[in-house]
Amino acid sequence: MRALRRSAVTGSLAVLATLAVACVSERGVTAPDLTGECRLPLQPGVPGSTLVIIKDFAFEPAEVTVQAGTTVTWVNCAEPDEPAHTTTADQGAWNSPLLPPGASFTHTFSQAGSFPYHCEPHPFMTGSIVVEP
Ligand SMILES: [Cu+2]
């Protein structure tokens, strides 16, 4: 269990580093130094989850593929003064509450299929979960 937790957190930090670079090159703004910044207390069981980071008004990675019966956890890794986001399935399979920075939401995918989703306050934020049988 400990090893799982460590690898899950490491994975999320790697994603953040990539995102910081993308932010600088694409928008010409100064990205915060995110090294080690997204240390969130995750619920028990979540480390086995596939993580999707919410940062800079985007889901990262935007598309993930998981096996049926597994979970996906969205984590809002934005700075504390940034807005809350949701993860809301286009077809209604799930809908999180508003997630302020530091909050997370986990959904179990039991059915195979392709599930596009968006953020309710920011409909331009989109992603999709592909669930394999
Ligand atoms: Cu949003």
Side-chain angles (χ1 to χ4, degrees), residues 88-94 114-118:
T88 303
D90 292 359
Q91 312 296 331
W94 73 91
S114 183
F115 299 92
Y117 66 93
H118 60 278

Side-chain angles (χ1 to χ4, degrees), residues 5-6 8-17 19 32-42 51-55 60 73-80 100-104:
R5 168 174 292 248
R6 203 172 304 125
V9 171
T10 302
S12 72
L13 290 178
V15 166
L16 283 175
L19 215 75
D33 177 9
L34 296 170
T35 309
E37 285 300 312
C38 192
R39 291 195 200 117
L40 300 171
L42 297 175
L51 289 177
V52 175
I53 304 301
I54 304 172
K55 182 74 187 168
E60 177 67 31
T73 296
W74 289 262
V75 183
N76 188 348
C77 282
E79 299 296 316
S104 63

Side-chain angles (χ1 to χ4, degrees), residues 65-71 108-113 115 130-133:
T65 300
V66 300
Q67 300 299 308
T70 64
T71 61
T108 301
F109 289 87
S110 26
Q111 304 290 329
F115 299 92
V130 176
V131 184
E132 294 183 332

